[in-house]
Amino acid sequence: MKEMDPQTFGRFLRSWPAIEAHLLFGGGIVLFSYALLAGEGPEDTGLALLFCMVAYPIVLGLLWYQQKSEVTAAVEEAIERETEPEKNRRKRIRYRRFALFFTFIVSVSFIVAGFRGWLIDGFPAHYLGYLLLLFTAAGIGGVNIWYGGPLDPRNDPPEE
C-alpha cells in the first residue's frame, strides 16, 4: 500500500469537503458527548455518539479517496490530451505507407497488364504503371507526392 504524503493529507484536511465533515461529525460528537455526560437526551445518545465516532474517519477516508481519484483522473486526462497529437501523427504516417503500398501494387499490376496487351484509351497500360511506380519511388524517397492532398505531411500535428 502506498504511503500517504503528510503535506498532501494535511492540505486535504483543510479542504472544503473535509471541513464540512469536521463540522458535521465534530459537532455531533460534541453535542452527543455533552448530552451523555449531562444525562440529558434520549436513551440512545450513546449509540449516536458511537456512530459519529465510527463514521467520522470512514467519511474522511472516502472523501480522501474521492479527491485522490479526481486528481488521478485529471492527470490521466492531461496525459491523454498530450499524446493525442502524437497518435494522430502516427496514424497519418500509417495511412501514407498504406497508400504507397497500394500505389506500388497498382503500378505493378498495370505494368504486368500492359505487357499482356492491355490498352487504356489506346495507350499501353504498362506506361501508366511505370509512371505510378515513379510516384511510389518518389514517395518512398521522401518527396512530398501528397502535396495539397489529405495525406500531405505538412498537415500533420507537430512532433513533441
Side-chain angles (χ1 to χ4, degrees), residues 24-44:
L24 177 69
F25 289 104
I29 290 172
V30 168
L31 288 176
F32 292 130
S33 296
Y34 175 76
L36 193 63
L37 290 174
E40 300 172 359
E43 60 187 50
D44 57 351

Side-chain angles (χ1 to χ4, degrees), residues 79-94 96 156-160:
I79 290 171
E80 183 66 28
R81 228 179 309 119
E82 282 294 317
T83 58
E84 192 64 33
E86 181 63 26
K87 286 180 186 176
N88 289 338
R89 193 177 70 74
R90 279 189 261 135
K91 185 192 296 185
R92 289 177 57 86
I93 289 171
R94 278 194 309 269
R96 280 193 290 273
D156 287 356
E159 287 189 48
E160 294 176 3

